[in-house]
Amino acid sequence: MEEMGRGVPTWQDELASLMDGGLQYDGSPIDLTADTELRSKSLGFGSGSGSESVESLKDQVMGFMKSWGEMLLDLAIGCKDVVHQMVVTEDSFVVRKLRKPAAKVSKKLSFLNEYLPEDRDPVHAWPVIFFVFLLALTALSFSSDHDRSVPVLKKIRLHPTSASRVQLPDGRYIAYQELGVSADRARHSLIVPHSFLSSRLAGIPGVNESLLTDYGVRLVSYDLPGFGESDPHRARNLSSSASDMIDLAAAIGIVEKFWLLGYSSGSVHAWAAMRYFPDRIAGVAMVAPMINPYEPSMTKEEMTKTWDQWLRKRKLMYFLARRWPSLLPFSYHRSFLSGNLEPLDQWMSLLLGEKDKLVITDPVFEDFYQRNVEESVRQGTAKPFVEEAALQVSNWGFSLPEFHVQKKCRTNGVLSWLMSMYSESDCELIGFRKPMHIWQGMDDRVTPPSVTDYISRVIPEATVHRLPNEGHFSYFYFCDECHKQIFSTIFGEPKGPVEIPEQETETHKPDRPKTGLSDTSTTKE
């Protein structure tokens, strides 16, 4: 009893505590019952029944979540302090390793700071600009998808194999197609490498057999490595591409010089053959030829005129092909390798001219385009397309000014140089000394006329045919008159196939020994 009395305060103690707390007793009676009930509740005793108060489930969950949030906040603050001490400080390992590379990158990109106002700190401004750019790009992609009409996509079909194939010296097989006159009656041989997202079936789209016969032309088109029915190449470059063309010509019996026809990006392989095997080429014809848009010999004005003609998506694809070609398969598998055939202007990201729009909406062109693409993507892999895109924008190993015909003298010193001024015995002509014709549509949005202007400047020997109101497709696809103009320009007057003289058979008598066989010779003009 004494311990209990010692543990429970008396009313005099409580009164004294109230007085110490600043309260004054005014003489009114003190309600000890209410105070006792309040203390009992605070100690966990019920007022009447003696049962404990139970906390609700909601209060328990809220308390748990609050405690867990406080723990996570403390953990985040701790991690922030650790990262700040180990990474952000100037003496940290990461900062010491990245200080020099970051300074180099910052120096190269310092020219961008000229576009900022003077009162803006680049360290704070550029991250904000980049973040806003990503948000705007995302918004534009979503809005454009909703605003434009959804095109009707056609399914890409797989067709049975039908190509003729020959084996190259390295063991690979290359598929090709022949049109026109036969090999023994051909007056001219014309080889056509196809462009991007195309195949051997393209050749000269819609060319008439009668036109090939009138000019005695043997037209040969082939699938590039990995396209159509041709085997892929392990390490393809422009030199190997030119070798494939020459090996194909030898395999199918083209022993004399042949003509080359390069259309659009297919002209890249024509440039390569001109560079590495000029002695096997009789002449070159190009329609809307493509070049490397990063060609260092282009002036700033020529490069600006060329790039300004393309939309942002097309510029981005060129940039990726040059810097990060490994990212291209993602885009290709979403477009022409998805199993659906997109409209031509959509996947090329182009705003075509009026004549080109009429051409690509023609049912004949649509059927031809679908069949050509189906053959191009037959193998279902993005590798050949990535290689083709990278070849166009990478370092070719040569530049177009090398094709300019000029005199080069071998000089080993000042004396040799002085002698070369009076004697040309040690001088020789370099460059491409064969006929070269270029047809350029002035309304071309794929290969702008500025490209041909550049070619004409660095290769003045090339004959340029500028075509008013013609686009990229209108002069080359299903245009009989256009094909006739091209043939008459490079081949001259139509002379038909080579006439093969009738062979006289020699009859050998039984009692006369056989001395030999007569040789058959074919002359070509």
Side-chain angles (χ1 to χ4, degrees):
M1 292 295 293
E2 183 179 358
E3 292 179 358
M4 291 183 62
R6 191 180 300 120
V8 179
T10 62
W11 68 271
Q12 292 93 346
D13 296 334
E14 293 195 5
L15 179 59
S17 64
L18 291 176
M19 295 299 292
D20 294 338
L23 297 178
Q24 297 182 357
Y25 177 65
D26 56 359
S28 59
I30 299 175
D31 188 0
L32 298 178
T33 306
D35 184 68
T36 305
E37 291 180 356
L38 179 61
R39 285 186 173 273
S40 300
K41 290 181 179 180
S42 64
L43 293 175
F45 297 100
S47 59
S49 61
S51 61
E52 298 181 356
S53 61
V54 181
E55 187 178 7
S56 65
L57 178 61
K58 179 179 179 181
D59 295 336
Q60 294 179 5
V61 172
M62 292 298 295
F64 175 79
M65 295 299 295
K66 183 178 180 181
S67 302
W68 184 249
E70 293 176 354
M71 293 173 61
L72 289 179
L73 181 60
D74 294 338
L75 179 62
I77 294 174
C79 292
K80 178 184 176 182
D81 294 339
V82 172
V83 172
H84 186 273
Q85 295 174 7
M86 297 183 62
V87 179
V88 181
T89 58
E90 296 184 357
D91 297 332
S92 65
F93 175 79
V94 177
V95 172
R96 282 189 279 107
K97 288 295 182 180
L98 297 181
R99 182 180 289 118
K100 291 184 179 180
K104 293 181 180 179
V105 174
S106 178
K107 184 178 180 180
K108 291 183 179 180
L109 298 179
S110 60
F111 71 95
L112 295 174
N113 298 332
E114 299 177 1
Y115 299 96
L116 293 177
E118 296 181 358
D119 59 342
R120 293 293 183 269
D121 184 6
V123 177
H124 300 109
W126 283 115
V128 174
I129 294 174
F130 180 72
F131 180 71
V132 173
F133 170 75
L134 291 180
L135 290 180
L137 189 64
T138 305
L140 287 176
S141 63
F142 278 107
S143 62
S144 61
D145 290 340
H146 290 289
D147 293 341
R148 67 188 180 192
S149 58
V150 179
V152 179
L153 300 179
K154 298 181 180 180
K155 293 293 183 181
I156 292 181
R157 300 160 297 182
L158 181 62
H159 299 267
T161 57
S162 59
S164 301
R165 303 208 309 169
V166 295
Q167 190 173 19
L168 301 181
D170 61 358
R172 292 181 296 114
Y173 283 88
I174 190 168
Y176 70 98
Q177 174 182 263
E178 285 191 66
L179 296 176
V181 300
S182 59
D184 55 347
R185 301 190 62 194
R187 192 176 298 275
H188 308 285
S189 296
L190 180 61
I191 296 182
V192 185
H194 64 78
S195 58
F196 190 87
L197 196 57
S198 188
S199 69
R200 69 183 185 281
L201 301 182
I204 302 178
V207 63
N208 284 330
E209 283 281 351
S210 59
L211 182 65
L212 298 175
T213 303
D214 292 342
Y215 283 87
V217 174
R218 181 191 184 190
L219 178 64
V220 178
S221 55
Y222 64 98
D223 290 329
L224 295 173
F227 290 77
E229 298 184 36
S230 289
D231 293 340
H233 194 286
R234 291 184 178 179
R236 186 156 67 104
N237 53 35
L238 288 182
S239 177
S240 68
S241 178
S243 298
D244 287 350
M245 188 186 303
I246 301 303
D247 292 337
L248 171 65
I252 61 178
I254 300 179
V255 295
E256 298 183 354
K257 296 179 180 180
F258 57 86
W259 276 81
L260 267 178
L261 175 58
Y263 167 69
S264 189
S265 60
S267 57
V268 174
H269 306 283
W271 292 118
M274 292 166 57
R275 170 62 177 82
Y276 296 108
F277 299 96
D279 295 337
R280 293 285 287 116
I281 300 174
V284 178
M286 294 189 180
V287 181
M290 293 290 289
I291 63 170
N292 186 345
Y294 296 94
E295 172 63 45
S297 60
M298 294 179 71
T299 64
K300 185 176 181 180
E301 182 181 1
E302 291 170 339
M303 191 168 291
T304 300
K305 287 182 178 180
T306 301
W307 282 86
D308 285 348
Q309 297 295 320
W310 296 326
L311 299 180
R312 289 188 297 269
K313 183 178 179 181
R314 186 173 180 85
K315 295 177 183 178
L316 176 61
M317 298 305 290
Y318 278 133
F319 176 76
L320 292 179
R322 183 174 176 84
R323 297 297 183 184
W324 293 292
S326 59
L327 299 179
L328 291 177
F330 175 75
S331 175
Y332 294 162
H333 282 291
R334 293 185 60 190
S335 54
F336 54 83
L337 290 177
S338 64
N340 297 321
L341 184 65
E342 293 181 326
L344 181 60
D345 55 344
Q346 180 175 331
W347 83 261
M348 292 186 71
S349 301
L350 295 171
L351 296 175
L352 300 177
E354 295 300 325
K355 292 195 74 172
D356 278 345
K357 289 180 181 178
L358 293 176
V359 171
I360 67 173
T361 55
D362 187 273
V364 177
F365 177 89
E366 290 180 348
D367 293 341
F368 172 84
Y369 169 64
Q370 178 169 359
R371 180 65 183 90
N372 192 32
V373 173
E374 288 171 345
E375 188 64 25
S376 178
V377 301
R378 167 185 291 274
Q379 301 186 30
T381 175
K383 183 176 182 294
F385 298 97
V386 174
E387 292 174 342
E388 192 69 11
L391 281 179
Q392 183 179 342
V393 298
S394 60
N395 184 7
W396 286 6
F398 60 90
S399 60
L400 297 192
E402 296 180 20
F403 298 112
H404 171 45
V405 178
Q406 52 189 321
K407 184 173 68 173
K408 181 179 180 182
C409 299
R410 291 173 296 194
T411 57
N412 297 324
V414 178
L415 181 61
S416 300
W417 176 75
L418 291 174
M419 294 180 61
S420 66
M421 296 179 62
Y422 299 96
S423 175
E424 296 186 358
S425 58
D426 292 335
C427 299
E428 61 179 353
L429 288 176
I430 61 173
F432 188 75
R433 292 177 289 167
K434 309 294 175 60
M436 182 178 179
H437 293 269
I438 298 176
W439 284 265
Q440 175 65 53
M442 302 308 292
D443 196 24
D444 193 340
R445 310 289 178 84
V446 182
T447 307
S450 58
V451 172
T452 303
D453 293 339
Y454 159 74
I455 297 175
S456 179
R457 179 178 66 84
V458 298
I459 314 177
E461 297 81 17
T463 303
V464 179
H465 308 269
R466 291 178 171 83
L467 310 170
N469 303 321
E470 295 289 351
H472 190 73
F473 305 99
S474 58
Y475 190 78
F476 193 62
Y477 281 76
F478 303 97
C479 181
D480 295 339
E481 186 61 30
C482 306
H483 299 161
K484 185 176 181 180
Q485 290 177 6
I486 294 174
F487 278 25
S488 63
T489 300
I490 62 179
F491 298 138
E493 294 294 327
K495 299 180 180 180
V498 173
E499 297 293 337
I500 301 178
E502 295 182 359
Q503 302 297 319
E504 295 182 358
T505 58
E506 182 180 358
T507 305
H508 298 277
K509 296 181 180 180
D511 57 345
R512 183 179 178 181
K514 182 178 179 181
T515 58
L517 298 175
S518 60
D519 296 330
T520 301
S521 61
T522 302
T523 59
K524 299 181 183 180
E525 295 185 12

